């Protein structure tokens, strides 16, 4: 006896529609994990990066690529605000991250190229004889080069996680943030934000356009510095709000402390 498969067509259609609807709700994610700035203390922080962040993506089978822009510093490193004096940095520490894409600039060459003194129309907001401000400018230049790496990779991503290599992470990155975040959101840490309603040390972004603006604030620094003090949180928040009227800033419980090149940790926060 032969069965007419056309008799099963309605049933097949029901199951097909059911599974199409089911699988259309599954988000296929791919994360760009983006590091910028000096790898000055990575020998102290790499374990927390791997344990608190990288392992979470691996354990949940979430694909990602790691991007890193950093500097080569050939002169003794000084940062008076961080009590770092005449430290010879290990310019190979970046290798600990094992990034998929990496770019390295000579910091002294970049200092000359961007002419740091041209940003000094207003007073130094940190009162460090512009040392901290210079470091902020260099950090934002690094973030701009980081975005070039992301673009030139020709890979597509659903989320962009911007994090620093020189901090010790105190709690796990919550994978649930990846599904909760909306297109108009930016997630930033829930500490060191009270005065300026922003924290510039980490960001999770879903919208590529927001990620691009966040990465390229360097392009607006010189013009901004002519009219206002170039303070980090104030400046970045201003650029984001000006570029995206409907952007929502959310504070998440992701905690970490900065670690200096000499191994000393700044107690910025505590794990909750």
């Amino acid at each position: 006896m032969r069965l007419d498969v056309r008799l099963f067509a309605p049933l097949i259609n029901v199951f097909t529609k059911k599974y199409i609807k089911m699988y259309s709700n599954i988000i296929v994610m791919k994360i760009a994990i983006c590091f910028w700035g000096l790898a000055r203390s990575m020998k102290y922080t790499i374990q927390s990066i791997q344990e608190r962040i990288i392992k979470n993506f691996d354990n949940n089978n979430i694909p990602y690529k790691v991007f890193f822009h950093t500097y080569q510093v050939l002169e003794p490193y000084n940062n008076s605000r961080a009590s770092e004096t005449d430290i010879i940095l290990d310019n190979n520490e970046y290798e600990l991250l094992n990034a998929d894409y990496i770019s390295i600039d000579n910091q002294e060459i970049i200092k000359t190229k961007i002419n740091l003194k041209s940003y000094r129309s207003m007073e130094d907001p940190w009162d460090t004889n512009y040392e901290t401000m210079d470091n902020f400018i260099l950090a934002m230049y690094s973030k701009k080069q980081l975005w070039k790496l992301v673009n030139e990779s020709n890979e597509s991503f659903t989320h962009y996680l911007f994090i620093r290599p020189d901090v010790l992470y105190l709690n796990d990155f919550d994978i649930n943030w990846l599904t909760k975040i909306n297109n108009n959101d930016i997630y930033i840490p829930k500490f060191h934000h009270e005065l300026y309603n922003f924290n510039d040390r980490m960001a999770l972004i879903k919208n590529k356009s927001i990620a691009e603006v966040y990465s390229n604030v360097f392009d607006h620094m010189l013009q901004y510095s002519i009219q206002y003090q170039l303070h980090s949180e104030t400046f970045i928040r201003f650029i984001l709000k000006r570029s995206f009227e409907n952007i929502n800033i959310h504070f998440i419980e992701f905690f970490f402390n900065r670690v200096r090149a000499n191994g000393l940790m700044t107690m910025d926060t505590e794990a909750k």
Side-chain angles (χ1 to χ4, degrees):
M1 182 178 69
R2 292 185 177 182
L3 291 176
D4 189 344
V5 294
R6 289 175 294 181
L7 296 174
F8 297 94
L11 187 60
I12 293 172
N13 287 337
V14 169
F15 278 101
T16 301
K17 290 178 181 179
K18 177 182 177 180
Y19 283 102
I20 287 175
K21 183 178 181 180
M22 181 186 301
Y23 286 104
S24 65
N25 292 326
I26 296 177
I27 300 173
V28 179
M29 293 184 287
K30 185 177 180 182
I31 318 302
I33 307 177
C34 305
F35 292 85
W36 79 94
L38 293 177
R40 58 181 173 170
S41 58
M42 187 164 279
K43 58 179 171 287
Y44 305 110
T45 64
I46 186 61
Q47 184 174 350
S48 75
I49 292 170
Q50 293 170 339
E51 294 290 327
R52 299 296 194 180
I53 301 171
I54 303 297
K55 183 182 286 186
N56 277 11
F57 292 115
D58 287 336
N59 289 346
N60 287 276
N61 297 313
I62 298 174
Y64 60 86
K65 292 292 182 180
V66 177
F67 298 83
F68 191 11
H69 175 272
T70 188
Y71 290 108
Q72 183 182 54
V73 181
L74 301 180
E75 302 294 325
Y77 179 73
N78 291 279
N79 185 342
S80 58
R81 189 163 174 254
S83 301
E84 296 166 302
T85 305
D86 291 335
I87 297 175
I88 304 300
L89 298 183
D90 179 357
N91 286 303
N92 295 317
E93 275 192 82
Y94 71 89
E95 296 176 353
L96 295 171
L97 188 60
N98 195 27
D100 297 289
Y101 299 91
I102 189 159
S103 176
I104 304 172
D105 279 308
N106 182 299
Q107 183 166 271
E108 291 305 313
I109 292 175
I110 299 304
K111 283 182 178 180
T112 302
K113 176 182 175 181
I114 64 180
N115 187 13
L116 291 170
K117 290 184 178 181
S118 65
Y119 295 81
R120 299 179 182 179
S121 299
M122 307 297 287
E123 292 183 358
D124 174 11
W126 291 279
D127 195 24
T128 59
N129 195 27
Y130 293 101
E131 183 183 62
T132 299
M133 198 175 90
D134 288 350
N135 289 337
F136 172 51
I137 296 167
L138 288 166
M140 295 306 98
Y141 180 88
S142 177
K143 197 181 287 183
K144 177 179 175 63
Q145 304 312 306
L146 174 64
W147 188 252
K148 285 185 179 179
L149 279 179
V150 175
N151 268 342
E152 292 171 359
S153 72
N154 291 320
E155 298 199 43
S156 297
F157 299 97
T158 58
H159 299 74
Y160 304 86
L161 175 60
F162 296 91
I163 49 180
R164 285 174 51 162
D166 62 340
V167 300
L168 188 78
Y169 295 92
L170 304 178
N171 63 309
D172 290 350
F173 179 88
D174 189 343
I175 294 299
N176 292 318
W177 293 328
L178 298 175
T179 53
K180 290 180 180 179
I181 191 170
N182 294 316
N183 232 28
N184 291 329
D185 294 343
I186 177 171
Y187 282 12
I188 59 176
K190 192 178 183 180
F191 70 93
H192 190 67
H193 66 287
E194 293 84 0
L195 286 178
Y196 311 105
N197 202 29
F198 202 77
N199 184 320
D200 67 330
R201 300 172 191 171
M202 167 267 168
L204 174 65
I205 301 170
K206 184 177 181 181
N207 187 322
K208 185 177 181 181
S209 296
I210 295 178
E212 184 170 18
V213 170
Y214 178 80
S215 301
N216 288 280
V217 294
F218 174 82
D219 295 340
H220 307 281
M221 296 185 92
L222 184 57
Q223 184 62 40
Y224 183 93
S225 71
I226 295 172
Q227 303 175 60
Y228 310 102
Q229 287 184 314
L230 194 53
H231 178 265
S232 52
E233 286 89 357
T234 306
F235 164 67
I236 297 175
R237 190 178 191 279
F238 172 84
I239 297 300
L240 287 171
K241 285 289 189 179
R242 186 181 68 178
S243 302
F244 305 97
E245 291 183 3
N246 297 321
I247 192 171
N248 299 311
I249 299 172
H250 294 276
F251 299 102
I252 58 174
E253 295 191 344
F254 191 43
F255 304 106
F256 48 86
N257 291 323
R258 290 168 294 173
V259 180
R260 306 307 186 180
N262 52 19
L264 297 178
M265 184 166 65
T266 302
M267 300 304 294
D268 298 309
T269 186
E270 297 179 355
K272 307 299 182 183

